[in-house]
């Protein structure tokens, strides 16, 4: 857009955004693609919390009590880790879990222990509700300070493609944001409570462009946090629309994408709850544009600090 064009048509910018919103609505509503995961989970990862001694998965409420608190998902009590030759790292706090311990009691009627036809005492089982604390493998170490090792002789690396390398301009862009990123073998997320972004490694993705598209999605969530743009009045689905539109705009800015991919459109269609319309997209475009501008501003701040 040039100055003359703006003077001739003062509504030019609004019309262009309106056209983009209309085009996106048309693409989304005509898109039949189903969203697919573009990264391969680590086959060595335990997805349910398990006990390090018994190697059995926890069940019931304990799954939720332990869920997401350990990347290894491997837990044991203080004494359990001691049996395995580990001690709890100083300052580590245990996580409380609950269980029912079976207890056999003799059946007594009028003060007399009941017996069966063979003369053996009859017992019944009751359950005592108990609680104790467990620690994850990340919270333990050997006496000489070495971290926990699984003991696996070989690791399955089928989920990795070592030919996939970072795109340097993208890497620099996200490095400049200084967001706290933790490596998770199977999930992509932004966690507001700890202000952390979780991502699998780039080698787990179909290609580098897919990695940075997902990375951008999580950074858009990150930018909307109350510590930054305070985009906390949106519903969950509205925030997901903003993040995906923002991811697309960020990838366009970085020059690794020019049009929405089927996965972008499928994702937008899903989170629109079947009610996609120009108003929703226009609103998401507005918030997504603000997020991208915020990410771009951080690049300038980083460069000024370096200078």
């Amino acid at each position: 857009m040039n100055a003359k064009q703006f003077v001739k048509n003062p509504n030019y910018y609004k019309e262009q955004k309106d056209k983009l919103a209309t085009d996106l609505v048309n693409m989304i509503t005509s898109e039949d693609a189903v969203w697919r995961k573009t990264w391969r989970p680590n086959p060595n990862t335990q997805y349910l919390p398990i006990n390090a001694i018994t190697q059995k998965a926890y069940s019931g409420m304990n799954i939720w009590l332990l869920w997401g608190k350990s990347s290894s998902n491997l837990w044991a009590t203080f004494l359990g880790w001691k049996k395995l030759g580990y001690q709890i790292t100083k300052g580590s706090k245990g996580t409380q879990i609950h269980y029912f311990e079976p207890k056999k009691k003799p059946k007594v009627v009028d003060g007399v222990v009941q017996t069966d036809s063979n003369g053996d005492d009859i017992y019944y089982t009751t359950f005592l509700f108990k609680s104790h604390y467990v620690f994850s493998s990340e919270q333990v170490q050997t006496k000489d300070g070495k971290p926990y090792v699984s003991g696996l002789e070989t690791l399955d690396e089928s989920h990795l493609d070592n030919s996939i390398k970072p795109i340097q301009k993208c890497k620099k862009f996200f490095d400049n944001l200084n967001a706290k990123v933790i490596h998770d073998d199977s999930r992509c997320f932004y966690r507001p409570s700890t202000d952390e972004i979780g991502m699998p490694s780039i080698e787990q993705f179909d290609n580098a462009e897919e990695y940075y598209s997902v990375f951008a999605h999580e950074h858009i969530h990150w930018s909307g946090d109350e510590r930054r743009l305070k985009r906390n009045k949106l519903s969950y689905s509205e925030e997901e629309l903003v993040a995906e539109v923002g991811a697309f705009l960020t990838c366009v800015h970085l020059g690794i994408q020019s049009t929405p991919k089927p996965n972008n459109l499928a994702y937008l269609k899903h989170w629109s709850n079947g009610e996609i319309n120009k108003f929703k997209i226009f609103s998401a475009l507005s918030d997504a544009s603000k997020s991208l501008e915020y990410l771009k501003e951080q690049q300038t701040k980083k460069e000024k600090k370096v200078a």
Side-chain angles (χ1 to χ4, degrees), residues 7 20 23 56 95 105 110 125 131 134-135 148 152 169 177 179 189 191 247 252 254 260 271 276 284:
V7 172
L20 177 56
D23 289 345
K56 291 182 179 179
T95 301
K105 289 187 174 182
D110 296 330
T125 303
S131 301
V134 291
F135 300 84
Y148 170 82
L152 294 175
K169 62 180 177 182
L177 299 176
F189 59 85
R191 184 185 295 137
V252 171
L254 292 171
W271 284 108
I276 195 68

Side-chain angles (χ1 to χ4, degrees), residues 65-105:
L65 292 173
L66 300 176
W67 188 262
K69 295 181 179 178
S70 164
S71 59
S72 68
N73 271 330
L74 198 62
W75 300 82
T77 61
F78 175 89
L79 292 177
W81 284 118
K82 189 174 181 180
K83 287 180 182 178
L84 294 175
Y86 292 91
Q87 58 188 22
I88 308 303
T89 305
K90 187 177 180 180
S92 295
K93 293 183 178 180
T95 301
Q96 191 175 43
I97 63 171
H98 311 289
Y99 66 102
F100 288 93
E101 184 179 89
K103 208 79 173 177
K104 288 178 68 176
K105 289 187 174 182

Side-chain angles (χ1 to χ4, degrees), residues 26-129:
N26 291 336
M27 282 189 280
I28 293 167
T29 53
S30 63
E31 179 57 51
D32 294 326
V34 176
W35 183 86
R36 66 183 185 85
K37 186 183 289 188
T38 56
W39 65 93
R40 295 166 291 280
N42 187 340
N44 307 299
T45 299
Q46 295 288 347
Y47 294 102
L48 286 176
I50 65 170
N51 185 283
I53 303 294
T54 65
Q55 294 297 307
K56 291 182 179 179
Y58 289 92
S59 59
M61 70 174 77
N62 292 327
I63 293 176
W64 306 112
L65 292 173
L66 300 176
W67 188 262
K69 295 181 179 178
S70 164
S71 59
S72 68
N73 271 330
L74 198 62
W75 300 82
T77 61
F78 175 89
L79 292 177
W81 284 118
K82 189 174 181 180
K83 287 180 182 178
L84 294 175
Y86 292 91
Q87 58 188 22
I88 308 303
T89 305
K90 187 177 180 180
S92 295
K93 293 183 178 180
T95 301
Q96 191 175 43
I97 63 171
H98 311 289
Y99 66 102
F100 288 93
E101 184 179 89
K103 208 79 173 177
K104 288 178 68 176
K105 289 187 174 182
K107 185 177 181 180
V108 179
V109 179
D110 296 330
V112 179
V113 176
Q114 301 298 293
T115 58
D116 59 22
S117 57
N118 296 322
D120 297 322
D121 292 347
I122 298 175
Y123 289 88
Y124 67 96
T125 303
T126 62
F127 293 89
L128 297 177
F129 183 77

